[in-house]
Amino acid sequence: MRVSGLFRLVALIFALVTTWVFIRSYNGFNMKTIRLPRWMGSVPRETRVEKTKCGLSKPCPENFFSFKLSSGAANVVGPSMCFENHLIMSPVKNNVGRGLNIALVNGSTGTVQRESSFDMYSGEPTALVKFLKEIQEGVLVLVASYDDPGTKMNDEIRNLFSNLGSSYAKQLGFRDSWVFLGAKDLKSKSPFEQFLKNDPNTNKYEGWPELLELEGCVPRKVF
Ligand SMILES: *[C@@H]1O[C@H](CO)[C@@H](O)[C@H](O)[C@H]1NC(C)=O
């Protein structure tokens, strides 16, 4: 009995040693192939989808700011403005108003300086004139319309917007949709502008054209 017990022990040790040697020497059976599956707790690598700033369809290059503007929908949903992933104005932030919504951003740092809305139906246009005249060099101007940007529009305001690079401020009228990004020191017309005329034949909503969305990459100004 004792001899057979000893024999079993030796056989067991032999089996263990040969198994160990087999595993060590067998290349395909290394640690990599027997590591835990992902769902058992190991951290997944590179499965995180890169989200763009402001939800842009593609990311902006180095030294460009990401922005997205949308005008209001009829007189129901307010406009919104996103700049470098920062929601400057939106109905959720409750800082938009009917008329023209305007934000000023430092063109080299990308920091928001001011945001304001101007009632263009029953408000005083002098407030907007003052606001636009005070804009300094190197400041980006973001504009989104809501409901009616046109009733109190006058030639002085049209000229001030044209000087910021707008092509459509000249014809902006009652209940038109307008989104625009410009700057004081633009040498030419801004490429960042969308405009839809209030036209009963083409209006999406009863009494208002469709809302407009504008996204893009604006170069950081290096002084
Ligand atoms: C933008 O920010 C920089 C750095 O704070 C400042 O020096 C510059 O005067 C600002 N530009 C404007 C137009 O406010």
Side-chain angles (χ1 to χ4, degrees):
M1 272 304 177
R2 235 180 229 187
V3 174
S4 111
L6 185 67
F7 180 75
R8 277 184 195 168
L9 184 64
V10 169
L12 179 66
I13 290 170
F14 177 78
L16 285 174
V17 168
T18 48
T19 305
W20 183 73
V21 168
F22 176 77
I23 289 172
R24 282 295 303 265
S25 60
Y26 186 61
N27 262 345
F29 205 75
N30 55 20
M31 284 308 287
K32 260 184 199 154
T33 56
I34 59 167
R35 75 177 172 177
L36 291 175
R38 287 188 168 172
W39 53 267
M40 282 184 78
S42 59
V43 182
R45 282 182 301 153
E46 292 178 83
T47 51
R48 202 164 49 91
V49 176
E50 197 62 50
K51 255 196 109 227
T52 58
K53 288 173 183 169
C54 296
L56 261 59
S57 46
K58 57 180 187 200
C60 293
E62 280 280 302
N63 279 318
F64 280 76
F65 294 126
S66 309
F67 75 90
K68 191 174 200 170
L69 307 175
S70 59
S71 65
N75 61 348
V76 179
V77 183
S80 64
M81 294 184 184
C82 177
F83 191 88
E84 280 292 283
N85 232 11
H86 173 62
L87 199 57
I88 303 176
M89 300 182 91
S90 82
V92 173
K93 288 190 81 176
N94 201 22
N95 60 353
V96 293
R98 296 190 186 175
L100 287 174
N101 295 269
I102 308 179
L104 304 181
V105 176
N106 185 312
S108 52
T109 61
T111 51
V112 181
Q113 295 184 323
R114 283 182 77 181
E115 76 267 342
S116 209
S117 61
F118 298 89
D119 185 340
M120 299 302 286
Y121 181 74
S122 53
E124 260 305 315
T126 47
L128 179 54
V129 169
K130 185 172 184 290
F131 184 92
L132 294 175
K133 278 185 172 169
E134 283 172 2
I135 295 173
Q136 295 169 328
E137 297 261 308
V139 171
L140 297 172
V141 184
L142 290 69
V143 185
S145 67
Y146 181 24
D147 187 7
D148 175 27
T151 297
K152 291 286 178 82
M153 184 57 65
N154 60 35
D155 284 347
E156 189 173 21
I157 298 173
R158 290 182 203 282
N159 282 336
L160 286 163
F161 277 123
S162 297
N163 291 341
L164 295 169
S166 169
S167 310
Y168 294 103
K170 284 193 185 84
Q171 46 173 302
L172 195 65
F174 179 64
R175 289 188 179 176
D176 293 345
S177 281
W178 185 40
V179 281
F180 168 66
L181 185 148
K184 174 108 173 180
D185 42 0
L186 276 192
K187 299 283 179 287
S188 53
K189 289 296 169 199
S190 168
F192 307 117
E193 187 168 24
Q194 296 244 13
F195 176 75
L196 261 181
K197 227 160 177 42
N198 168 19
D199 178 348
N201 297 318
T202 55
N203 279 351
K204 163 138 180 177
Y205 310 107
E206 204 182 316
W208 292 267
E210 194 167 2
L211 72 90
L212 290 171
E213 278 193 324
L214 176 68
E215 66 167 59
C217 306
V218 60
R220 182 191 294 266
K221 192 157 171 77
V222 188
F223 291 102

